[in-house]
């Protein structure tokens, strides 16, 4: 019976996504929805599940390969079919010869090896076929040991950054990544920037220390934020909106909807007001072309919302905000925030944003500089509202004031445009009736 071809399903408009982990081997029996491989984009990791129960006949990918939608992952003999692959149950180690076999057959080699002789090998990476398979005395988990065999890496030569010196997957991948070229003078440069790296320091010389590994979200978000900060000339414009009336109306709605299981927060009104401001000033709803010589103006309004989770910050996207009312937006915000905190966001939940809002209103602050979420050109930062005396022409009256901070890409947005956009946004928030126009 012919084997079923298992391919990469629709993962959004991601392409050239690296395979960072393989959960099965030829001969393994899998159930429907069991994870087969893990992909890692610059925004999220994605497990690709098995579409049916059966036996893995033949893997078609290896760690380090880059795949897209439709790429063949493996051949699967579904339940009832006869497997042509001998059972590997009980086999725990891959031999060095088996690791070298794909290269001998002319297939693409794993990350960290090379078909041509190289002048230098990253520390810990062995020649294919010369890697130990037992790693006796090494503090590492089974998945890390297996990946090390596949990548021809000697774990005994790697220093672990995990608890009690445990070698993590990141330690292993760092060992096989090409080392950045050294700039003049020998100082290590941050990859792709030419900026000298901060020198390493032994903090233990000054007192007791502990090493806490970054969460997966932090490891993914860090390079994205760094890239945005280095590539975009950031400027931040600050303003304040009198939200006394709109907050009173929000509280009325919130009281009425508690029984329905969702809350109405100021963020829903900020999203609607942002859409109106983006319509008025379409440059802020754009992205630069790859050649940086034109703007791509968007006729849709998808708003990203920064969500604080136990593992770090993520930015899910609420789509078509212009077509939704406050109640619908509030329900979607609640559902999306819950998915983010539970770690259940999919790739599609993180794509397609036009403009991002980062709100620290539940915590505090008086203002901050949010980093533009490239390829967007602007992001709105919001902190806690405060009661302040406002001059009304004859007397001061206490009003609820909301500080706003708009960071923008100065290549696309100049200061005057940013000021007009922010003031327009403030005017909308100061009179809820304007949101209906």
């Amino acid at each position: 019976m012919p084997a079923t071809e298992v391919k990469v399903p629709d993962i959004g408009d991601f392409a050239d996504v690296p395979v960072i982990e393989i959960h099965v081997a030829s001969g393994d029996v899998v159930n429907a929805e069991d994870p087969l491989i893990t992909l890692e984009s610059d925004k999220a990791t994605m497990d690709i599940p098995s579409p049916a129960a059966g036996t893995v006949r033949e893997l078609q990918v290896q760690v380090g390969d880059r795949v897209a939608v439709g790429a063949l992952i493996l051949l699967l003999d579904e339940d009832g079919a006869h497997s042509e692959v001998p059972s590997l149950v009980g086999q725990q180690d891959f031999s060095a010869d088996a690791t070298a076999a794909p290269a001998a057959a002319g297939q693409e080699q794993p990350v960290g090896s090379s078909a041509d002789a190289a002048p230098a090998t990253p520390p810990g990476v062995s020649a294919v076929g010369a890697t130990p398979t037992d790693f006796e005395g090494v503090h590492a988990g089974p998945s890390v040991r297996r990946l090390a065999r596949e990548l021809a890496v000697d774990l005994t030569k790697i220093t672990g950054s995990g608890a009690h010196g445990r070698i993590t997957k990141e330690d292993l991948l760092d060992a096989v990544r090409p080392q950045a070229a050294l700039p003049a003078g020998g100082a290590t440069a941050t990859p792709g920037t030419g900026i000298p790296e901060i020198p390493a320091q032994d903090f233990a010389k000054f007192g007791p220390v502990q090493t806490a590994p970054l969460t997966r979200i932090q490891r993914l978000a860090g390079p994205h934020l760094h890239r945005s900060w280095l590539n975009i000339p950031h400027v931040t414009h600050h303003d304040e909106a009198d939200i006394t009336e709109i907050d009173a109306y929000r509280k009325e709605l919130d009281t009425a909807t508690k029984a329905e299981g969702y809350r109405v927060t100021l963020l829903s009104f900020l999203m609607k007001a942002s859409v109106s401001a983006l319509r008025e000033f379409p440059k802020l709803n754009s992205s630069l072309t790859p050649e940086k010589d034109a703007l791509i103006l968007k006729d849709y309004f998808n708003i990203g919302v920064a969500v604080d989770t136990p593992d770090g910050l993520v930015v899910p996207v609420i789509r078509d905000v212009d077509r939704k009312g406050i109640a619908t937006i509030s329900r979607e915000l609640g559902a999306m925030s819950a998915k983010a905190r539970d770690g259940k966001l999919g790739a599609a939940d993180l794509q397609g944003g036009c403009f991002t809002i980062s709100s620290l209103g539940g915590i505090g602050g008086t203002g901050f500089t949010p980093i533009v979420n490239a390829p967007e050109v602007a992001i709105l930062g919001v902190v806690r509202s405060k009661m302040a005396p406002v001059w009304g022409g004859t007397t001061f009256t206490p009003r609820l004031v909301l500080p706003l901070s708009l960071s923008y890409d100065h290549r696309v947005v100049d200061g005057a445009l940013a000021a007009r956009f922010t003031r327009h946004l403030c005017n909308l928030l100061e009179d809820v009736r304007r949101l209906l126009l």
Side-chain angles (χ1 to χ4, degrees), residues 250-251 253-269 326-335:
R250 178 199 67 78
K251 289 178 179 177
L253 293 179
D254 186 50
T255 300
T257 58
K258 282 181 183 177
E260 299 180 31
Y262 68 94
R263 305 296 302 271
V264 176
T265 66
L266 185 62
L267 188 54
S268 300
F269 290 92
I326 294 296
T328 301
I329 295 171
S330 298
R331 280 193 291 266
E332 290 192 18
L333 272 175

Side-chain angles (χ1 to χ4, degrees), residues 193-263:
T193 67
I195 300 173
E197 186 61 279
I198 297 172
Q201 191 168 151
D202 182 9
F203 299 103
K205 293 191 301 184
F206 311 111
V209 298
Q210 298 182 35
T211 299
L214 296 176
T215 66
R216 180 178 292 275
I217 288 177
Q218 289 172 321
R219 292 198 303 269
L220 289 170
H224 179 72
L225 292 168
H226 193 198
R227 183 169 62 244
S228 293
W229 185 255
L230 290 174
N231 283 281
I232 294 175
H234 281 69
V235 180
T236 304
H237 179 83
H238 303 280
D239 207 332
E240 292 181 335
D242 182 342
I243 60 167
T244 308
E245 274 77 27
I246 201 170
D247 193 58
Y249 178 51
R250 178 199 67 78
K251 289 178 179 177
E252 291 180 16
L253 293 179
D254 186 50
T255 300
T257 58
K258 282 181 183 177
E260 299 180 31
Y262 68 94
R263 305 296 302 271

Side-chain angles (χ1 to χ4, degrees), residues 156-175:
T156 62
K157 298 180 180 178
I158 296 178
T159 301
S161 64
H164 308 294
R166 186 181 183 88
I167 298 174
T168 66
K169 185 185 297 182
E170 276 301 306
D171 297 329
L172 175 58
L173 295 178
D174 285 342

Side-chain angles (χ1 to χ4, degrees), residues 114 116-122:
S114 173
D116 301 317
T121 303

Side-chain angles (χ1 to χ4, degrees), residues 340-360:
R341 287 189 291 269
D342 293 340
K344 296 181 178 178
L345 290 175
D349 296 324
L350 302 167
Q351 294 178 287
C354 303
F355 182 81
T356 296
I357 301 175
S358 180
S359 175
L360 301 177

